[in-house]
Amino acid sequence: MKKSAPRLASIDLNLLVVFDAVMRERSTTRAGKRLSLSQPAVSHALGRLRHMLKDELFVRGPLGMVPTPRAEQLAAPVRAAIDGLQEALEPDEFDPGTATQSFNIAVDNYAAIVLVAPIVANVGKFAPGVRLDFRPSGTLNVLDLLDRSELHFSVGASDLKAERFSRTRLLQDEFVAVMRRDHPLSKGDPISSEALATTRQLEISSAQFGGETMGTESPSLRPKRQIGIRAPILSAARILATADYVCVLPRRVAIEIIRSRELTYRELARHPKSIETTMVWLRRLDNQPAHAWIRNEIAKAVGGLTQGRSR
């Protein structure tokens, strides 16, 4: 026999707020702290909701509270409903000078190196009370966290085209070769694919760029790369400064890396596909005042980077 759904009027909506907090935190104790409730109060509310929905909703696991399939089904619509109510209660206008909101932003390695500092400077200038929490996207399930409103934006390389998300391109960047100033390839014409293939290269292991740097011809015709070492991006500057390696990186990353080292960068004779950075967010937040304001400030901060190039 099919179970009848409980009527909305019969549900204490505070129970759904508790459900959402437990879903986020996977812990009744942490959910209580989020809601300023005691752990027993959270457990009691969860028990009432379990009885009402006739489902366990969460079971204890080694890493915390594990949602049941029914809870997973409820999570997104409950979160969207709570967000909608919260947004409806917010002012129609956003005053950055007095705002104290927090924004959680996922960034990839490129965005962390090139974009975070200008964004912080631009937002801090007009909204000193706003808190920015940048999180490394490589360690996150970004789409899930955007859906759950755990993240406000994702900034980085993305080909996401799902209908529920909005996206805007922030900038494009081309690749260059970074090396010591006294490296054999540091002088002369732009570096050919053949010349690049005959030198030892540093490949970045912690970033999603640099894979298509041997030109635009068919992969079968490209010279084989000599990958001498793989290392995280944080190690690149010191490795390049102390050994005869070449590393192909986006231009703006190269500019940041050579600032404090005896390094330089060179153009490539054959230009690989550019790296593209986009900003992604939930479409339903398009017209939310605070969200729209900070999107605009991020775009302005990034726009300032496109004015000229320097070594």
Side-chain angles (χ1 to χ4, degrees):
M1 183 180 295
K2 185 177 179 180
K3 296 179 183 178
S4 60
R7 294 172 57 85
L8 183 61
S10 69
I11 296 179
D12 180 350
L13 296 184
N14 287 319
L15 301 182
L16 298 181
V17 175
V18 171
F19 167 83
D20 178 65
V22 176
M23 193 73 190
R24 286 172 178 253
E25 300 291 348
R26 301 294 200 266
S27 162
T28 55
T29 300
R30 291 195 299 272
K33 290 180 179 178
R34 176 186 280 267
L35 299 174
S36 298
L37 295 173
S38 67
Q39 188 273 336
V42 172
S43 294
H44 177 69
L46 197 56
R48 290 175 59 197
L49 191 61
R50 282 167 165 159
H51 176 74
M52 193 169 296
L53 298 179
K54 297 178 173 57
D55 189 274
E56 277 296 298
L57 297 177
F58 299 93
V59 295
R60 294 194 181 278
L63 299 178
M65 304 289 281
V66 180
T68 66
R70 177 65 170 140
E72 293 280 9
Q73 183 185 40
L74 285 171
V78 167
R79 176 95 294 272
I82 291 173
D83 281 348
L85 287 171
Q86 185 61 50
E87 290 159 21
L89 296 173
E90 291 179 358
D92 291 335
E93 297 182 356
F94 176 72
D95 181 4
T98 60
T100 58
Q101 291 173 252
S102 296
F103 293 94
N104 302 327
I105 306 171
V107 291
D108 63 7
N109 279 295
Y110 180 92
I113 294 169
V114 175
L115 304 183
V116 166
I119 290 171
V120 169
N122 203 52
V123 171
K125 187 187 306 180
F126 301 104
V130 164
R131 180 174 180 268
L132 301 179
D133 184 352
F134 294 98
R135 304 178 183 182
S137 59
T139 65
L140 305 173
N141 184 335
V142 171
L143 299 189
D144 178 59
L145 293 175
L146 285 169
D147 278 330
R148 289 163 50 189
S149 296
E150 293 283 318
L151 288 173
H152 294 90
F153 311 97
S154 172
V155 178
S158 174
D159 57 0
L160 182 67
K161 292 182 174 62
E163 182 65 26
R164 67 188 186 280
F165 294 108
S166 292
R167 66 196 299 268
T168 186
R169 188 177 75 181
L170 294 175
L171 81 169
Q172 284 185 305
D173 205 354
E174 66 272 19
F175 288 92
V176 295
V178 182
M179 67 209 72
R180 281 167 40 173
R181 290 181 181 174
D182 58 354
H183 190 281
L185 293 180
S186 65
K187 303 290 191 296
D189 297 329
I191 300 172
S192 67
S193 297
E194 293 74 20
L196 193 60
T198 62
T199 191
R200 293 185 303 169
Q201 292 184 49
L202 164 64
E203 183 175 74
I204 301 302
S205 61
S206 58
Q208 297 296 316
F209 48 70
E212 297 296 332
T213 56
M214 298 303 291
T216 56
E217 67 273 22
S218 168
S220 63
L221 300 178
R222 294 176 191 157
K224 186 175 181 180
R225 300 171 69 194
Q226 292 190 32
I227 304 301
I229 191 170
R230 297 185 78 244
I233 188 67
L234 292 175
S235 306
R238 190 166 185 180
I239 291 172
L240 293 169
T242 56
D244 277 336
Y245 285 96
V246 167
C247 187
V248 177
L249 295 169
R251 181 189 297 273
R252 291 182 176 88
V253 174
I255 290 171
E256 293 300 321
I257 282 181
I258 71 175
R259 287 187 190 278
S260 60
R261 299 281 179 180
E262 290 297 308
L263 300 172
T264 188
Y265 71 81
R266 297 287 315 289
E267 303 290 338
L268 298 172
R270 294 176 180 172
H271 294 285
K273 182 179 179 180
S274 300
I275 186 171
E276 183 173 286
T277 298
T278 61
M279 178 165 52
V280 178
W281 65 94
L282 283 172
R283 187 179 298 277
R284 62 182 174 78
L285 297 173
D286 281 357
N287 299 315
Q288 202 271 334
H291 206 278
W293 179 85
I294 197 165
R295 291 199 312 267
N296 185 57
E297 292 307 308
I298 289 173
K300 287 197 297 186
V302 174
L305 298 176
T306 64
Q307 306 300 315
R309 296 172 178 169
S310 60
R311 290 200 182 194

